[in-house]
Amino acid sequence: MSVIVVHGGAGDIKSHKREAVARACAEAAAVGWQVLAGGGRAIDAVVAAVRWLEDCPLLNAGRGACADANGDITLDAALMVGRDLSAGAVGNVPPLRHPIDLARAVLERSPHVLLVGPGALEWGRQFGIEGCPADDLRVPADEPAEEKAHDTVGAVAIDDEGVVVAGTSTGGVRGKHPARVGDSPLLGCGTYADDEAGGASATGTGELIMRVTLARACVDAMRAGEHPMDAARRLTDDLHRRVGGGAGVILVDRHGRVGVGHSTLGMSWAWHRADGAACGWQVPAGE
Ligand code: GLY
């Protein structure tokens, strides 16, 4: 039943990068799967996979995160456990290598769900979570055609105990207002998990995802019995119809079935489970 699915963002990217981002997703899913295959917990699998993606300079999270209108870098991340609906999230935090670690600290060590701004990172220092120079996250400027890409990263897993966990991490959107927070750390928008239904991690323009509460809509569709592949496709199409623009989402339901859907040109994704693994830059028909 255990499975992990990851994404490296939805949008359009240069064709020569598509294989590389799909491969990065496959590697991250394999890292997460190693945890699950060893009998580990979904939370450890999701954090391991997201950390891997945060280290990938091709993607807009951790190393490779995009800059805001002032040229600074601020980061958003969230982690949610579907067993007890516990969650931790951070928004608009200063540069650090692994924002998902800070989200996990909020989940496990804070009475709160969402901490924002420099104070969130300062709070995390007592648990050994340190910031880094922004230059440690910067990578050479993207080509103009890639400016529209939404390379947020995320992972959703279910373990042998039936615990569903979802995690998401992002630099947001390029040139964003320095005070912006996106959908990723907002429960029900970019991230949601509920053992009684399934889990979701979204990617795309946060301002659109928030307006349709995409992650919670997908989880509720799975709760009602819809196959995650159908729910992912239907609800990303629905987002496009209702508010314009594109988004992508990865899903795992309580039975361990996987869904990947996007209303963008592409979306990098991968899943890994006992009977095999797959990855791609678009969801092929028939998946
Ligand atoms: N989906 C990432 C963001 O808009 O911040």
Side-chain angles (χ1 to χ4, degrees), residues 7 60 76 150-153 168-173 176 180-185 190 202-210:
H7 70 77
N60 175 17
D76 298 343
H150 302 286
D151 318 325
T152 294
V153 309
T168 312
S169 180
T170 188
V173 294
K176 66 187 181 181
R180 175 192 187 262
V181 171
D183 62 297
S184 304
T203 171
T205 305
E207 283 69 14
L208 305 177
I209 293 168
M210 289 182 219

Side-chain angles (χ1 to χ4, degrees), residues 179-251:
R180 175 192 187 262
V181 171
D183 62 297
S184 304
L186 303 184
L187 301 185
C189 298
T191 309
Y192 203 75
D194 181 347
D195 283 9
E196 295 182 2
S201 172
T203 171
T205 305
E207 283 69 14
L208 305 177
I209 293 168
M210 289 182 219
R211 288 161 63 193
V212 300
T213 55
L214 181 61
R216 180 63 196 246
C218 290
V219 169
D220 283 344
M222 294 187 286
R223 192 189 313 278
E226 189 169 6
H227 192 287
M229 200 59 83
D230 297 332
R233 287 199 173 120
R234 182 175 65 78
L235 289 161
T236 50
D237 284 349
D238 210 41
L239 178 146
H240 183 70
R241 182 178 63 79
R242 294 297 308 277
V243 295
V249 70
I250 53 170
L251 306 176

Side-chain angles (χ1 to χ4, degrees), residues 4 28 32 34 62 64 67 74 82 90 98 120 141 149 161-162 180 195 225 235 250 283:
I4 183 163
Q34 275 190 330
T74 58
V90 293
H98 293 296
E161 303 292 320
R180 175 192 187 262
D195 283 9
L235 289 161
I250 53 170
V283 182

